[in-house]
Amino acid sequence: MYVHCEQTSSPPVHPSGNYFRDGQTKIDFVLVWEVKVRRKRRSRGQSQGEAAEEAVEAAQEESRSERRKAQLAQWRDKFIQNLQSAGLLMEKEESSSVKKAIHYLKLHAPWDVLVYYAEELCLRAPLQAQPQPDFNTSAQVLQKLWVPNIMKDSVPNRPVDYYTCAFRKSKMEKFLGSDDRENYFTNTQRHRIVYEILARTVYGRRKRAEVGVARLLNEGAFTGAFPLHEGPFELPGCDMQPDKLNKRQVLYHYWSNWLKWYKYQPLDHIREYFGEKIALYFAWLGFYTAWLLPAALVGTCVFVSGILTMGSNTPAKEICESGGLYLMCPLCENCKPWNISDICPMVGYLFDHPGTVFFSVFMSLWAVTFLEYWKRKNATLAHHWDCMDFHEEEEPPRPEFSAMAPAMEENPVTGVKEPYFPEKARISRMLTGSMVIVIMVRPTGVVRVLLSEAVTIKLQINLIYLVSPNKTLPETFFPTEMHRTQTQYEDAFTFKVFIFQFVNFYSSPFYVAFFKGRFVGYPGHYGTLFGMRNEDCGSGGCLIELAEQLCIIMVGKQLINNVQEFVIPKIKAWRQKRALSSVKKAQKAEQPKCWEQDYELIPCEGLFDEYLEIVLQFGFITIFVAAFPLAPLFALLNNWVEVRLDAYKFVCEYRRPVAERAQHIGVWFIILEALSHVSVIVNAFLIAFTSDFLPRLLYQYKFNNDLHGYVNFTLAYSPPSYNYSSHTVCRYKAFRDENGKYTLVYWELLAVRLGFIIAFEHVVFFVLRVIDWMVPDIPESLELKIKRERYLAKQALADNQEALLVNEAIPGDKK
């Protein structure tokens, strides 16, 4: 098999590749900083005195910036000295032009440093290789049914799977490949070790937390810190065997390629190149997208059933044939009475018919079942990628936590003394950070509700949803919370920002679904807020307005987000290349080095925005699905595009991120679980109080099973006092008598609604608990593999006997 590629015009890579000038020492990391070159020249026709005055003024204006540059240079020099003391080897390169000079510091971790930190970071060492059959559930089912699997793709150079255990220097001879020091540690492991050193190295005062390369990047001492990509992503200009492609080219051709949209993602290759954290995100996104297929199919069927039965809807026929029989009261202060026959009730029936109730129950069960099976998939991948116990046992303390902790205490799990921060001080800092979110959330919710009171706000709200970007709030909004590990810190930050975004994105749909039109009053006694009449639902009802909002969000907003994700990285890359154009012109005779090419790429922005976009989407398709059954379909189409867009960004447009380990998707799973439970409650209230399902059901039970006369049943007459002042008799939608008092039917319907909510929630939650009980979090086959791996680790690390590694492997891969 050969890969055919077209000739590209990209510049060739420097012959030395990812190595020092000696061609043997690997480049594990690159630090970059820029220095502007100042050239003082006297302009023509300018006297020496004028030039001196201008120089004095310029010196006064730039004194602060010069002091700042001197401080950054001092920090940078101290940081580099400490890196040398930590044992890293360095080599410096420089690219300069008339305007600025760019300094590249190439770092390499020698064998002794790698071994020391590998044991401290509890990296996994290979004990025994084992076969790797495909563990995709759909692939297994299709194989049993003898059905050709078009989604399967033969990706070359699949990483070998091993039984592993924690690395120990004293047991080096027990591990596979220990005699090959050059290739024993993978590139991602080397990157992780060097970044750990960079994160721990001090450049100033510890008490001020002047520690780590991340803060130096924020301060501006460095403009870049990244590991190098393993060669170009462009395919060579001739036919080539797939196994000869580098890892980046394999990902580009078999993953980010748009022609592979229906293929399985090469998760093992993603994990090998980008680390477990990024691989888990793409595994979750692919798993979620696959599960959207049945949801989209059922939702489309429900929508189509509404179209097919639309013509037999008796209330809609009565409205269309009523003529001028029902003159409706004005919907606002300056509005005129309107005729009910002017609206199109057929459209409303598409989003409010008995099928939507079934779909609400289906989506509630779908959400929980999806999460239960994701837990199984996550456990399989965590064990397969050797990070099943990472968070609980292996993750080291954060460098900032270690630097600012006032005491040392013994870790109850490992028995090793670690930096310790008093609980009371941590709680006070966490409460302070939470108050920032509360202060920010309250104005946001109030503004959204007040805006919704305006008559013309529908267009404004839609524009808010279309153009509001999913941006993370700067971390400087929150005080430093002394969480022990980076995972705990990121989870706390994610949870706080998501609360803000939840209010920002969901406040308007919640208002339309449950508050708009609820406090209107009745003709002659309308409710007011700040002197304005409370907003009533439109002529089609609040459910139609909610469906319109969701349609705009799921179609318009997602489309604009995808366009932004495609265009914005292009613009950033263009600006980055433009900023470096002067240096490239000065070196036009030389071929660009690999570190120069990677520096032209844009920094990786992490996964927060990617998770946030999809989790918010999950909320929309579960919480408000009763109002818009087509939401899962549009989510599915969006996610097919999202996978390839994100893949292309990571492979082609981003600098290579540091490979981070992760056991699961973190606090995002807790948020998904919360959203799935909230969706049950919200859908119950949506069907009970916003939909006409229960009023129709009550009318069929008490009066007429064919729903003849239902429209007149739901309309009340305006009070005589209002008729006298307005000189007309009008109708409005309510269960009131001529004096504006609630009728007996209103209280009967209220009892039915409350009873439906209780029954709906209890039945659904009971079924959810049954699903949770029936689907174990860890498959039985995986438990057996875990026991075998622990046995092999015990045998390999035993001091009183030789390692007994059985050659035969248990059938099946490490799920």
Side-chain angles (χ1 to χ4, degrees):
M1 177 181 177
Y2 292 86
V3 176
H4 178 74
C5 333
E6 296 181 357
Q7 186 73 31
T8 59
S9 58
S10 61
V13 184
H14 191 266
S16 63
N18 294 11
Y19 291 88
F20 282 17
R21 281 188 289 267
D22 59 12
Q24 297 180 352
T25 305
K26 284 185 178 181
I27 301 174
D28 296 323
F29 224 88
V30 177
L31 299 178
V32 188
W33 68 94
E34 299 180 4
V35 178
K36 292 184 178 180
V37 179
R38 295 180 56 194
R39 301 186 64 184
K40 299 180 180 179
R41 295 183 299 177
R42 188 174 63 188
S43 61
R44 295 181 179 179
Q46 190 178 39
S47 65
Q48 293 183 353
E50 292 175 347
E53 290 179 1
E54 287 189 5
V56 172
E57 293 177 358
Q60 292 176 349
E61 292 177 358
E62 297 181 1
S63 59
R64 292 184 179 180
S65 62
E66 291 298 325
R67 288 196 298 268
R68 177 61 176 172
K69 291 178 182 178
Q71 178 68 67
L72 295 178
Q74 181 181 355
W75 283 346
R76 186 166 54 240
D77 294 340
K78 181 65 175 178
F79 186 73
I80 294 174
Q81 291 177 7
N82 291 339
L83 290 179
Q84 290 177 324
S85 301
L88 295 183
L89 302 182
M90 303 179 182
E91 186 176 79
K92 190 175 180 181
E93 297 277 351
E94 181 178 342
S95 302
S96 59
S97 66
V98 177
K99 296 182 179 180
K100 64 181 176 182
I102 304 177
H103 300 272
Y104 300 92
L105 186 66
K106 300 176 287 185
L107 304 177
H108 169 79
W111 174 255
D112 293 338
V113 174
L114 293 173
V115 169
Y116 173 80
Y117 279 95
E119 186 167 355
E120 185 171 346
L121 297 177
C122 296
L123 297 186
R124 308 294 292 185
L127 293 173
Q128 175 184 322
Q130 63 168 343
Q132 283 199 47
D134 197 346
F135 55 85
N136 284 299
T137 304
S138 59
Q140 295 174 357
V141 173
L142 293 175
Q143 185 178 7
K144 291 180 180 179
L145 297 175
W146 297 91
V147 176
N149 189 359
I150 63 173
M151 297 178 290
K152 190 174 182 179
D153 201 3
S154 57
V155 184
N157 302 327
R158 184 176 183 181
V160 181
D161 190 20
Y162 298 98
Y163 285 112
T164 63
C165 68
F167 179 85
R168 292 291 181 271
K169 181 180 179 180
S170 59
K171 304 295 181 181
M172 278 291 301
E173 70 279 359
K174 306 292 182 69
F175 302 132
L176 295 180
S178 58
D179 54 342
D180 185 7
R181 292 189 173 187
E182 183 69 20
N183 301 310
Y184 179 75
F185 292 103
T186 64
N187 288 335
T188 53
Q189 289 176 331
R190 300 177 70 97
H191 301 162
R192 193 178 299 140
I193 290 173
V194 174
Y195 186 78
E196 184 67 23
I197 298 173
L198 294 174
R200 295 185 183 186
T201 303
V202 181
Y203 63 86
R205 296 184 181 180
R206 281 187 174 273
K207 293 184 178 179
R208 295 183 179 178
E210 293 176 343
V211 180
V213 70
R215 185 165 178 182
L216 284 174
L217 287 169
N218 293 332
E219 296 287 351
F222 292 107
T223 56
F226 50 89
L228 295 177
H229 281 290
E230 298 183 17
F233 68 86
E234 296 95 342
L235 299 175
C238 58
D239 291 339
M240 175 180 281
Q241 293 183 356
D243 57 357
K244 299 298 183 181
L245 300 175
N246 65 46
K247 296 178 182 179
R248 193 181 182 194
Q249 289 171 337
V250 169
L251 290 176
Y252 174 73
H253 182 70
Y254 291 93
W255 181 42
S256 64
N257 192 339
W258 288 94
L259 297 178
K260 304 289 184 178
W261 65 271
Y262 61 95
K263 299 290 186 179
Y264 294 131
Q265 297 184 89
L267 296 178
D268 287 336
H269 294 76
I270 300 171
R271 177 250 182 173
E272 183 185 35
Y273 196 79
F274 292 111
E276 291 83 5
K277 192 171 186 178
I278 292 176
L280 276 174
Y281 162 72
F282 283 103
W284 171 78
L285 180 57
F287 189 80
Y288 168 57
T289 304
W291 270 73
L292 280 173
L293 281 169
L297 180 62
V298 175
T300 304
C301 291
V302 170
F303 185 77
V304 171
S305 68
I307 296 177
L308 296 177
T309 59
M310 187 169 51
S312 60
N313 183 23
T314 303
K317 291 181 179 180
E318 288 187 352
I319 292 176
C320 295
E321 298 171 359
S322 62
L325 181 62
Y326 302 112
L327 184 66
M328 306 299 293
C329 298
L331 295 176
C332 59
E333 293 181 355
N334 300 323
C335 298
K336 297 180 180 180
W338 55 284
N339 200 297
I340 196 172
S341 60
D342 296 336
I343 66 174
C344 182
M346 297 296 183
V347 178
Y349 181 77
L350 293 177
F351 306 100
D352 188 9
H353 61 91
T356 58
V357 180
F358 160 77
F359 192 53
S360 299
V361 177
F362 172 82
M363 287 303 296
S364 298
L365 301 179
W366 172 90
V368 174
T369 308
F370 156 70
L371 294 177
E372 288 299 320
Y373 275 93
W374 166 248
K375 284 194 287 188
R376 290 168 59 90
K377 179 76 170 181
N378 189 94
T380 298
L381 293 175
H383 180 256
H384 181 58
W385 294 337
D386 302 316
C387 54
M388 200 162 194
D389 300 323
F390 172 64
H391 290 172
E392 289 79 4
E393 300 176 4
E394 302 174 8
E395 189 171 10
R398 293 174 62 229
E400 294 85 355
F401 179 88
S402 302
M404 299 185 67
M408 299 285 291
E409 283 200 4
E410 184 177 294
N411 187 317
V413 177
T414 62
V416 180
K417 283 194 173 183
E418 292 181 351
Y420 175 75
F421 212 94
E423 194 70 21
K424 291 183 179 179
R426 287 184 59 237
I427 292 176
S428 64
R429 288 171 177 262
M430 292 171 64
L431 291 176
T432 304
S434 301
M435 288 305 298
V436 175
I437 285 293
V438 172
I439 293 173
M440 296 177 67
V441 161
R442 290 184 63 187
T444 303
V446 171
V447 167
R448 281 294 178 94
V449 172
L450 290 181
L451 285 176
S452 298
E453 287 293 326
V455 177
T456 61
I457 197 55
K458 181 189 296 184
L459 177 60
Q460 298 179 23
I461 288 179
N462 294 341
L463 290 176
I464 288 174
Y465 277 115
L466 284 175
V467 303
S468 59
N470 292 336
K471 295 294 183 183
T472 60
L473 296 179
E475 296 188 22
T476 53
F477 281 13
F478 310 104
T480 303
E481 299 180 0
M482 287 297 104
H483 297 284
R484 176 182 171 274
T485 65
Q486 184 67 22
T487 300
Q488 293 172 348
Y489 173 79
E490 291 178 356
D491 287 352
F493 178 76
T494 298
F495 184 72
K496 290 181 178 65
V497 176
F498 181 78
I499 292 176
F500 174 80
Q501 296 286 14
F502 183 89
V503 175
N504 184 44
F505 280 89
Y506 293 119
S507 57
S508 182
F510 267 104
Y511 168 75
V512 173
F514 302 115
F515 296 98
K516 186 177 182 180
R518 306 296 174 186
F519 309 100
V520 178
Y522 57 95
H525 296 81
Y526 288 114
T528 59
L529 179 66
F530 301 119
M532 296 185 296
R533 175 179 165 179
N534 291 336
E535 189 181 16
D536 200 354
C537 295
S539 57
C542 286
L543 197 65
I544 296 298
E545 296 185 26
L546 181 60
E548 290 175 357
Q549 268 195 21
L550 293 177
C551 182
I552 291 173
I553 293 168
M554 298 304 298
V555 180
K557 182 179 179 297
Q558 289 191 150
L559 181 61
I560 290 181
N561 281 346
N562 287 329
V563 172
Q564 288 178 339
E565 287 192 34
F566 179 78
V567 173
I568 291 179
K570 301 290 185 185
I571 297 176
K572 289 182 178 180
W574 174 79
R575 292 178 59 186
Q576 178 76 358
K577 291 180 180 179
R578 184 181 179 185
L580 302 175
S581 60
S582 60
V583 178
K584 292 182 66 175
K585 289 179 181 178
Q587 295 181 325
K588 58 184 178 180
E590 300 181 11
Q591 296 178 352
K593 314 295 193 302
C594 56
W595 48 86
E596 294 174 339
Q597 292 181 12
D598 283 11
Y599 186 57
E600 291 182 357
L601 303 176
I602 59 178
C604 179
E605 299 176 351
L607 296 171
F608 182 89
D609 286 347
E610 314 299 338
Y611 271 117
L612 180 63
E613 178 183 355
I614 305 301
V615 170
L616 288 172
Q617 177 201 93
F618 179 84
F620 281 119
I621 69 170
T622 54
I623 295 179
F624 303 105
V625 71
F628 191 56
L630 292 179
L633 175 62
F634 290 112
L636 173 65
L637 298 176
N638 173 81
N639 290 1
W640 269 334
V641 177
E642 184 75 20
V643 171
R644 303 303 155 185
L645 280 177
D646 291 345
Y648 185 83
K649 286 191 300 185
F650 276 94
V651 174
C652 305
E653 296 178 337
Y654 283 165
R655 297 172 190 167
R656 187 174 183 177
V658 179
E660 298 182 61
R661 298 187 70 192
Q663 184 176 352
H664 42 64
I665 62 175
V667 74
W668 292 112
F669 183 80
I670 300 175
I671 294 173
L672 290 171
E673 281 192 318
L675 290 176
S676 67
H677 287 80
V678 168
S679 68
V680 178
I681 301 173
V682 172
N683 278 298
F685 276 88
L686 196 65
I687 296 171
F689 287 96
T690 308
S691 170
D692 284 338
F693 173 73
L694 292 181
R696 288 196 299 262
L697 200 64
L698 179 64
Y699 184 82
Q700 286 179 310
Y701 176 76
K702 290 193 64 175
F703 300 101
N704 193 323
N705 190 52
D706 295 332
L707 290 177
H708 290 291
Y710 173 75
V711 176
N712 185 64
F713 168 73
T714 59
L715 300 179
Y717 288 93
S718 56
S721 57
Y722 178 82
N723 300 337
Y724 179 78
S725 61
S726 62
H727 305 290
T728 183
V729 178
C730 60
R731 309 289 295 272
Y732 63 100
K733 193 172 182 178
F735 295 98
R736 297 176 182 268
D737 58 18
E738 293 184 352
N739 297 320
K741 304 295 183 181
Y742 288 118
T743 62
L744 180 61
V745 174
Y746 170 83
W747 300 109
E748 291 177 346
L749 182 59
L750 180 62
V752 171
R753 284 170 169 167
L754 296 178
F756 173 82
I757 292 172
I758 296 173
F760 185 93
E761 291 179 357
H762 279 67
V763 171
V764 174
F765 279 125
F766 173 76
V767 177
L768 298 184
R769 296 287 74 80
V770 172
I771 295 174
D772 190 10
W773 172 73
M774 293 179 60
V775 181
D777 295 346
I778 300 178
E780 184 179 353
S781 59
L782 178 57
E783 292 182 350
L784 181 61
K785 292 178 181 297
I786 294 173
K787 291 178 181 179
R788 174 161 178 80
E789 186 168 41
R790 288 175 179 172
Y791 168 76
L792 292 175
K794 181 180 178 181
Q795 294 290 79
L797 300 181
D799 291 323
N800 57 352
Q801 58 179 330
E802 293 294 330
L804 184 61
L805 301 181
V806 182
N807 291 328
E808 60 181 10
I810 295 179
D813 71 325
K814 191 191 306 181
K815 288 188 177 182

